[in-house]
Amino acid sequence: MVSVFSRFRVQPRAPALAQRWRLLCAALLWAAASAPALAFDLDSVTQLARGRAQHPYRAASAALPRALAALDYDQLRDVRWKPERALWRSAQLPFEAMLFHLGRTQSAPVQIHEVTPSGTRHLAYAPADFDYGKNRVTPGAWGDLGFAGFRLHYPLNSPQYKDELVVFQGASYFRALGAGQQYGLSARGLAIDTAGGAHEEFPRFTEFWLVRPAPDARVATVYALLDSPRATGAYRFDIRPGAQTVTTVHARVFLRAPGTGKPIATLGIAPLTSMFLFGENQPSPSDFRPEVHDSDGLMIATGEGEWLWRPLQNPQRALTTSFATTAPRGFGLMQRDRQWSSYEDAEARYERRPSAWVRPLGDWGAGRVELVQLHTPDETHDNIVAYWVPAQLPAPGQALEFAYELSWQGQDQQRPPGAWVVQSRRGLGYSRQTQADAPQQVQYVVDFDGPALAGLSDRARVQAVVSSDANARVLERLVYRNPANGQWRMTLRVQQIDRARPAELRAFLEHDNHAVSETWTHIVLPE
């Protein structure tokens, strides 16, 4: 160690002063050596992200030991972290961490560290931490492989058991649970060119720092370093478990200098990824289940005060739509339908899948919420993506800083203050007109409920305010209170002029010249 005091050449005039000077220097050096290490924080990760952004991207090697790469899906599932070796279990702390093993489906390693009051330490891969099941492998010769990711555990549903709370695994994906929920949709750290670019780029978290929780901690903190061919990022996640687990995200993103690839067309902030196979607005003729989806709609609270609801669909071709606004108040992919009878799936339990609501912290300025809907042939593929796109990208080397709360919600979830869509159904009922007599016509039945409607009498003059783009003509609209449940029902009959092109519809309920519901905004898909 080089003393900072060696820079000063002091020559005391008396031996006593020299002795006192030596004692003072020794005391200061001892204090510096014994002081706690500098705190690890978002600034620490920001320095790494800013530094990497100044150099070309270097992908991590995904080469695996031959025996490990040969394990198939079922064999790899037999490799598990030993629960008794969970990080922080021996100290009986409120949170625990378990790490995922690398394999053919997750072959790019991430480095994981622990942050303690005395500094940070690297968590090295150790074969003794894993149970390899029936696999005949010799992991002792593999060296420090790194990991595929990690999960945090917490007594979410019962004080007697630490449930799985949040998982970080694969690219920049993560997902969390509130009490009584089952995993469904995922979030990501960043999305690049999901739409608008030549091909999508998937940034990935390459390093994590897990902060050792205090004995009475109710929040877990994780830092992450993000890297990709055209961007880097520093992230802090504060995870507060509960009936709706809330993940507070603080991020600083840096774009790499020009020349490292094509300019970014679409930078997606706070991206959410989900699955919609079919539902009440797009039923399946061959499946016994009424609905299969992790989310049934996109909800947006615009900066201008409007609430929007767009039911999700499974299009035959990629469909991208966007909603421009300034200073958004929130957006999310929601699972509003919470009834088991809506899904009839005793294994998947789609009614337990969480909604994910993004609430910006601070002013995000001008931009748009973008929704990408892709075709999926089955429920094993995610086909829905939603994110915020800022109107302006930062200059290379300049930080794009943003923060938001991401709430994983169940039965008690974010809703508009007035009234909201309960269900959207498509299909023609009995009519004297046959389908041949009414070509290119579709009918929608949309139910609304909420406090703004509950207090109205059956004779209240509630009207549907409906508009469409140039490819649709609204032929009929009707609003009435449903005597079966007290909700208000809107029926629309619409003619799609060119069936080869999509048509846009918007509708909301109005009473005494005041909007009393969110805006239902829907796309009639092309044939």
Side-chain angles (χ1 to χ4, degrees), residues 13 36 52 93 143 154 158 169 205 241 279 284-285 287 290 306 338 363 386 388 392 395 427 440 492 499 524 527:
R13 295 182 179 179
R52 287 201 180 188
L93 298 181
Y154 182 84
S158 168
Q169 186 181 28
F205 291 131
S284 169
D287 200 302
E306 186 179 20
R338 315 298 300 182
D363 185 354
W388 170 255
Q392 292 186 337
Q440 300 169 302
L492 301 177
R499 301 183 74 177
V524 184
E527 295 294 333

Side-chain angles (χ1 to χ4, degrees), residues 10 33 70 73 78 173 185 272 275 280 357 455 485:
V10 179
Y73 176 80
D78 211 19
Y173 284 87
L185 80 169
L272 304 172
M275 179 276 295
E280 61 202 14
W357 179 248
N485 56 19

Side-chain angles (χ1 to χ4, degrees), residues 388-399:
W388 170 255
V389 182
Q392 292 186 337
L393 295 180
Q398 177 183 348

Side-chain angles (χ1 to χ4, degrees), residues 92 106 144 169 182 195 205 210 213 216 263 271 282 307 320 376 418 478:
Q92 297 183 336
Q106 298 288 341
D144 189 3
Q169 186 181 28
Q182 291 185 198
F205 291 131
L210 314 182
D216 59 348
Q282 196 179 17
W307 290 80
T320 301
T376 180
L478 180 65

Side-chain angles (χ1 to χ4, degrees), residues 283-307:
S284 169
S286 59
D287 200 302
F288 77 92
R289 297 168 296 180
E291 303 178 45
V292 172
H293 50 72
D294 287 335
S295 307
D296 54 10
L298 168 68
M299 184 170 67
I300 303 172
T302 71
E304 294 75 27
E306 186 179 20
W307 290 80

Side-chain angles (χ1 to χ4, degrees), residues 5 27 123 137-138 144 213 262 285 289 293 303 413 461 474:
F5 303 104
L123 300 180
V137 292
T138 55
D144 189 3
K262 292 184 178 180
R289 297 168 296 180
H293 50 72
Q413 60 181 257
R461 299 188 63 180
V474 179

Side-chain angles (χ1 to χ4, degrees), residues 299 307-309 336 413-421 450-451 517-518:
M299 184 170 67
W307 290 80
L308 304 174
W309 175 254
R336 279 188 176 174
Q413 60 181 257
Q414 179 69 54
R415 298 187 189 277
W420 50 86
V421 174
S517 76
E518 67 184 359

Side-chain angles (χ1 to χ4, degrees), residues 134-481:
K134 298 178 182 179
N135 295 304
R136 296 183 177 180
V137 292
T138 55
W142 294 347
D144 189 3
L145 284 178
F147 302 96
F150 69 94
R151 63 182 184 231
L152 296 182
H153 292 247
Y154 182 84
L156 187 62
N157 297 296
S158 168
Q160 286 75 40
Y161 181 78
K162 287 186 171 66
D163 305 277
E164 197 167 311
L165 172 67
V166 62
V167 169
F168 287 81
Q169 186 181 28
S172 66
Y173 284 87
F174 64 98
R175 55 183 180 171
L177 294 170
Q181 299 172 11
Q182 291 185 198
Y183 280 130
L185 80 169
S186 301
R188 281 192 270 171
L190 197 67
I192 296 179
D193 286 353
T194 303
H199 59 84
E200 184 169 9
E201 180 176 309
F202 289 90
R204 59 183 299 266
F205 291 131
T206 58
E207 286 190 72
F208 291 99
W209 292 263
L210 314 182
V211 178
R212 182 184 179 91
D216 59 348
R218 294 296 177 265
V219 176
T221 298
V222 173
Y223 294 98
L225 175 65
L226 179 138
D227 202 4
S228 80
R230 290 180 288 176
T232 67
Y235 287 74
R236 171 176 172 147
F237 301 91
D238 293 300
I239 306 152
R240 184 173 70 250
Q244 56 173 265
T245 292
V246 178
T247 306
T248 303
V249 182
H250 290 84
R252 296 166 184 164
V253 171
F254 301 89
L255 302 187
R256 283 192 155 92
T260 57
K262 292 184 178 180
I264 293 176
T266 304
L267 186 68
I269 304 300
L272 304 172
T273 301
S274 192
M275 179 276 295
F276 182 93
L277 183 60
F278 58 84
E280 61 202 14
N281 59 316
Q282 196 179 17
S284 169
S286 59
D287 200 302
F288 77 92
R289 297 168 296 180
E291 303 178 45
V292 172
H293 50 72
D294 287 335
S295 307
D296 54 10
L298 168 68
M299 184 170 67
I300 303 172
T302 71
E304 294 75 27
E306 186 179 20
W307 290 80
L308 304 174
W309 175 254
R310 168 147 291 182
L312 299 178
Q313 300 184 79
N314 182 7
Q316 289 300 312
R317 298 187 295 273
L319 178 66
T320 301
T321 54
S322 61
F323 305 84
T325 185
T326 300
R329 294 159 56 193
F331 70 92
L333 292 176
M334 316 300 285
Q335 185 79 318
R336 279 188 176 174
D337 198 335
R338 315 298 300 182
Q339 301 297 319
W340 183 82
S341 59
S342 297
Y343 306 97
E344 295 285 343
D345 195 320
E347 181 180 0
R349 302 303 299 270
Y350 288 106
E351 79 280 3
R352 293 184 177 178
R353 305 297 173 101
S355 298
W357 179 248
V358 174
R359 186 176 73 87
L361 301 177
D363 185 354
W364 279 13
R368 67 185 188 271
V369 176
E370 193 158 87
L371 174 66
V372 180
Q373 300 180 96
L374 309 173
H375 177 69
T376 180
D378 55 52
E379 60 206 274
T380 65
H381 297 82
D382 286 338
N383 63 318
I384 306 294
V385 188
Y387 44 79
W388 170 255
V389 182
Q392 292 186 337
L393 295 180
Q398 177 183 348
L400 172 63
E401 191 161 358
F402 54 90
Y404 58 95
E405 282 185 353
L406 175 54
S407 300
W408 307 85
Q409 303 175 342
Q411 190 69 37
D412 183 16
Q413 60 181 257
Q414 179 69 54
R415 298 187 189 277
W420 50 86
V421 174
V422 176
Q423 64 173 351
S424 301
R425 295 185 177 273
R426 172 177 169 163
L428 292 170
Y430 171 77
S431 173
R432 291 184 182 275
Q433 283 185 311
T434 65
Q435 186 62 37
D437 296 328
Q440 300 169 302
Q441 290 187 22
V442 294
Q443 178 175 285
Y444 292 97
V445 177
V446 184
D447 290 348
F448 293 84
D449 198 11
L453 295 172
L456 300 179
S457 70
D458 294 352
R459 297 183 178 182
R461 299 188 63 180
V462 177
Q463 297 179 331
V465 180
V466 185
S467 60
S468 66
D469 66 8
N471 195 38
R473 182 180 298 114
V474 179
L475 303 178
E476 182 180 86
R477 71 192 75 182
L478 180 65
V479 178
Y480 59 92
R481 184 189 288 277

